[in-house]
Amino acid sequence: MPTDKERMLDQKLYMAGVGELATDNKKSRRLTRLFNNTTEEQQKYRIELLQQLFESVGEKVFIEPPFRCDYGCHITVGNNFYANFDCIIIDVAKVNIGNNVFFGPRVGVYTAGHPIDPDVRNTLLEFGKEIKIGNNVWVGGNTVINPGVTIGNNVVIGSGSIVTKDIPDNVIAVGNPCKVLRAITAEDKQYWEQQKAEYEADIEH
Ligand SMILES: CC(=O)SCCNC(=O)CCNC(=O)[C@H](O)C(C)(C)COP(=O)(O)OP(=O)(O)OC[C@H]1O[C@@H](n2cnc3c(N)ncnc32)[C@H](O)[C@@H]1OP(=O)(O)O
């Protein structure tokens, strides 16, 4: 017979807050409280706390406090991750974040769902669906990523988007519900490389 935690990670209905889940949740509350009480002088300690909190953490990870999550131990973060203030990750299922991912302020990554039927919902049975975010992704501020969504590689999500369906590679996607606005092309690369060259020629070294 599986435990509630095993059913949760199998993306099936489970009862929150019981058994091992209660222990995991308490650990996460403690670590996020310690993290959110750190100062900017405590970067090394911040990383140590994230290493205890997350399933795995890459190099050069910077999360602006305050940060909140349900369990932490279901979150995998790649290299060069930056999350601006007030990021919330509800990780009742796995959340996999690739390399070079930037979050604007108030990004919500919500794996959790509740039954549509109120009688079943009111029993407090719930479920989670995994979220995956690829490499080289910038997620604009106040975006919500819904349960089960996969965002591809080289993607920009506009501010205030509600991402309800998968987003393919190499696009800008915006809105509620979030839809592809356009592809990211060689012209974008050329434009931004030009801007960078101008900066490098201009700036005092
Ligand atoms: C780490 C950090 O990120 S901190 C900084 C946080 N900053 C942000 O969150 C800003 C995020 N940036 C955006 O949302 C930008 O609008 C981008 C990057 C998605 C697009 O920028 P641009 O390529 O310059 O797009 P542009 O302004 O030309 O808009 C193109 C069209 O998309 C629409 N659009 C742009 N952004 C959005 C959005 N977030 N939601 C809905 N529609 C949008 C525009 O209204 C415009 O529509 P139109 O063609 O009908 O006039």
Side-chain angles (χ1 to χ4, degrees):
M1 292 267 282
T3 62
D4 280 286
K5 181 173 177 176
E6 283 162 348
R7 282 190 61 94
M8 180 181 94
L9 294 173
D10 258 357
Q11 307 185 70
K12 292 176 178 157
L13 273 189
Y14 73 98
M15 190 63 72
V18 297
E20 204 183 340
L21 289 174
T23 315
D24 290 354
N25 193 262
K26 209 167 160 191
K27 182 181 171 199
S28 154
R29 291 288 185 280
R30 181 177 156 270
L31 290 169
T32 47
R33 176 169 44 77
L34 292 174
F35 181 84
N36 290 333
N37 285 331
T38 57
T39 68
E40 46 291 353
E41 280 79 35
Q42 293 177 291
Q43 298 303 338
K44 204 167 152 262
Y45 181 45
R46 282 182 180 174
I47 293 293
E48 283 165 17
L49 289 170
L50 292 178
Q51 283 167 342
Q52 290 174 56
L53 183 63
F54 292 166
E55 185 174 353
S56 72
V57 195
E59 301 287 319
K60 297 187 185 156
V61 167
F62 191 96
I63 297 178
E64 298 277 6
F67 167 79
R68 308 205 186 271
C69 61
D70 254 4
Y71 297 101
C73 56
H74 311 131
I75 302 172
T76 301
V77 172
N79 298 324
N80 300 319
F81 175 61
Y82 174 82
N84 214 321
F85 312 109
D86 282 331
C87 175
I88 299 181
I89 303 182
I90 302 297
D91 58 320
V92 306
K94 299 263 182 194
V95 172
N96 200 317
I97 298 173
N99 296 320
N100 307 307
V101 173
F102 303 169
F103 280 4
R106 301 214 162 99
V107 167
V109 180
Y110 304 152
T111 61
H114 299 278
I116 297 300
D117 178 80
D119 292 329
V120 180
R121 185 168 65 239
N122 294 342
T123 65
L124 302 184
L125 284 169
E126 59 179 59
F127 62 93
K129 288 188 189 168
E130 293 180 12
I131 292 178
K132 294 191 189 109
I133 300 173
N135 300 318
N136 302 314
V137 175
W138 172 31
V139 180
N142 287 295
T143 290
V144 168
I145 303 171
N146 264 8
V149 161
T150 294
I151 295 177
N153 297 314
N154 311 315
V155 169
V156 175
I157 303 289
S159 51
S161 295
I162 310 294
V163 191
T164 60
K165 296 204 170 121
D166 291 357
I167 303 294
D169 294 347
N170 305 311
V171 296
I172 302 179
V174 300
N176 177 10
C178 188
K179 298 243 162 88
V180 173
L181 177 69
R182 68 170 176 86
I184 297 174
T185 63
E187 282 84 68
D188 290 298
K189 180 148 195 69
Q190 198 182 11
Y191 173 80
W192 286 106
E193 288 291 353
Q194 244 166 29
Q195 296 290 310
K196 179 168 164 266
E198 187 192 305
Y199 166 81
E200 281 165 353
D202 192 44
I203 197 80
E204 200 177 321
H205 290 290

